[in-house]
Amino acid sequence: MDLVIVTGMSGAGKSRAMQALEDIGFYCVDNMPPKLIPTFVQLCMESNDEKDRVALVADIRLGEEFTSLFNILKELDKTKIHCKILFIDADNEVIMRRYQETRRKHPLADEFDTPSLAEAIAKEREILLPARQMADYIVDTSNVMSSQFKEKIAKLFLNNISSTLKIHSMSFGFKYGLPKDADLVFDVRCLPNPFYVPELKSHTGLETEVRNFVMKYSQSKELEKKLYDLIDFLIPLYMTEGKSQLTIAVGCTGGKHRSVVFAELLNKHLLENGCDVGVFHRDIKR
């Protein structure tokens, strides 16, 4: 049985994550008290409905019960259940804006003498820090559109979640901010930019003419070789460490040309080497 515990910051997108998981076949339950999880899992395993992929939300709404989640997960580790933690995060400013737009009340808002959304968010982040540190997967939704977020969650869990290491190659634009869920970040702004070629400006790195332009330069070919050497050296080390997810981000100025080319090339290289991979272009449609 595969079990995903979905947690994270309020307003970061846990509900949308659950919808995406449900769409790919997970049986989803929202805000289950941790002490009920072992019993619920056992019932699912004994069920005739073949509930072999289950996702549960456990977050700050549980109050003091939330801290018991960690002990429950340690108990589950002793079984044959593959349990992974998915942490959904976002910048504080983004979360504040979302609450202001929806006019909803933060779960911790009543804990302060004066209503302060900023204090509530800071307190929640402090409480959830151990869960973030334990997480197998961290997804930051600050700069991700709704359709992209759903696609990202689906790609993350379409394969068996017990796989040793899932590697994501991501392209992004530095002008839109660094991806906070990236483990490794590479900057390819040093390479010739197709943006300044009139016939290539409106195209993307997914197209042959842009890829050919970027890769015709000797410095691009040399960077590609050195990037492969470094990644091939690091992957076994991450696997030995027991890491479940590795996100490799490649950035250029706008996230449409050079970074896309290199993210695609890296994904192809890893696929050819038998890795469990996925590619994601965060800013290609901006």
Side-chain angles (χ1 to χ4, degrees):
M1 178 180 179
D2 290 335
L3 174 65
V4 177
I5 303 296
V6 181
T7 189
M9 296 294 293
S10 302
K14 296 188 298 294
S15 296
R16 286 187 293 153
M18 291 294 275
Q19 291 170 5
L21 289 169
E22 194 169 40
D23 288 345
I24 60 173
F26 276 83
Y27 182 79
C28 301
V29 180
D30 186 24
N31 212 30
M32 176 173 288
K35 63 183 179 182
L36 297 181
I37 291 178
T39 302
F40 176 76
V41 168
Q42 187 62 37
L43 290 173
C44 288
M45 294 178 69
E46 295 173 356
S47 171
N48 294 325
D49 297 335
E50 296 185 355
K51 293 184 177 66
D52 57 348
R53 291 164 68 83
V54 176
L56 306 175
V57 171
D59 58 30
I60 203 65
R61 291 172 295 167
L62 294 168
E64 294 182 358
E65 284 189 73
F66 179 77
T67 56
S68 66
L69 173 65
F70 308 112
N71 292 329
I72 298 298
L73 294 181
K74 288 180 181 178
E75 292 181 20
L76 290 175
D77 282 341
K78 300 174 184 178
T79 69
K80 294 182 179 180
I81 298 170
H82 300 291
C83 181
K84 301 291 185 181
I85 300 177
L86 169 63
F87 192 98
I88 308 299
D89 203 355
D91 291 339
N92 288 3
E93 296 77 12
V94 173
I95 294 174
M96 288 184 68
R97 185 176 70 246
R98 291 173 182 173
Y99 269 102
Q100 291 165 353
E101 291 172 351
T102 60
R103 298 187 178 182
R104 294 185 62 200
K105 186 172 72 171
H106 191 279
L108 298 181
D110 294 335
E111 291 194 12
F112 301 92
D113 295 332
T114 57
S116 171
L117 180 56
E119 286 183 289
I121 293 172
K123 181 64 175 179
E124 180 182 23
R125 193 170 291 284
E126 178 185 338
I127 295 172
L128 293 182
L129 180 59
R132 196 182 196 281
Q133 292 173 334
M134 289 178 60
D136 299 282
Y137 310 103
I138 298 174
V139 176
D140 188 288
T141 67
S142 302
N143 295 302
V144 178
M145 294 182 288
S146 297
S147 58
Q148 292 178 317
F149 177 58
K150 182 177 180 180
E151 178 186 1
K152 193 170 186 178
I153 295 294
K155 285 183 177 180
L156 194 62
F157 293 101
L158 274 176
N159 293 328
N160 192 328
I161 67 169
S162 61
S163 297
T164 305
L165 179 65
K166 178 76 175 183
I167 306 175
H168 295 273
S169 301
M170 173 195 294
S171 69
F172 72 96
F174 277 95
K175 66 187 292 185
Y176 302 113
L178 286 167
K180 293 192 174 181
D181 49 351
D183 299 289
L184 299 169
V185 177
F186 296 98
D187 184 354
V188 295
R189 288 176 294 181
C190 55
L191 302 178
N193 192 353
F195 179 83
Y196 297 109
V197 180
E199 58 268 28
L200 298 179
K201 180 178 180 179
S202 61
H203 295 269
T204 75
L206 295 176
E207 298 171 70
T208 303
E209 53 264 48
V210 174
R211 183 175 66 252
N212 289 344
F213 174 86
V214 172
M215 298 309 299
K216 72 179 181 180
Y217 296 95
S218 59
Q219 57 264 45
S220 299
K221 295 175 182 177
E222 187 66 19
L223 177 59
E224 179 189 17
K225 178 183 176 182
K226 292 183 181 296
L227 179 62
Y228 292 167
D229 287 343
L230 176 60
I231 297 302
D232 291 344
F233 170 75
L234 290 174
I235 287 176
L237 302 182
Y238 283 118
M239 294 178 71
T240 300
E241 183 197 10
K243 195 171 180 62
S244 299
Q245 171 187 284
L246 181 67
T247 300
I248 306 170
V250 184
C252 61
T253 305
K256 294 184 66 174
H257 298 108
R258 294 164 292 180
S259 61
V260 174
V261 170
F262 269 81
E264 286 287 332
L265 288 172
L266 180 58
N267 184 71
K268 182 175 181 291
H269 171 76
L270 293 170
L271 185 62
E272 290 173 349
N273 281 277
C275 297
D276 185 6
V277 300
V279 64
F280 174 67
H281 304 298
R282 192 189 74 178
D283 302 321
I284 196 170
K285 295 182 180 180
R286 289 181 184 266

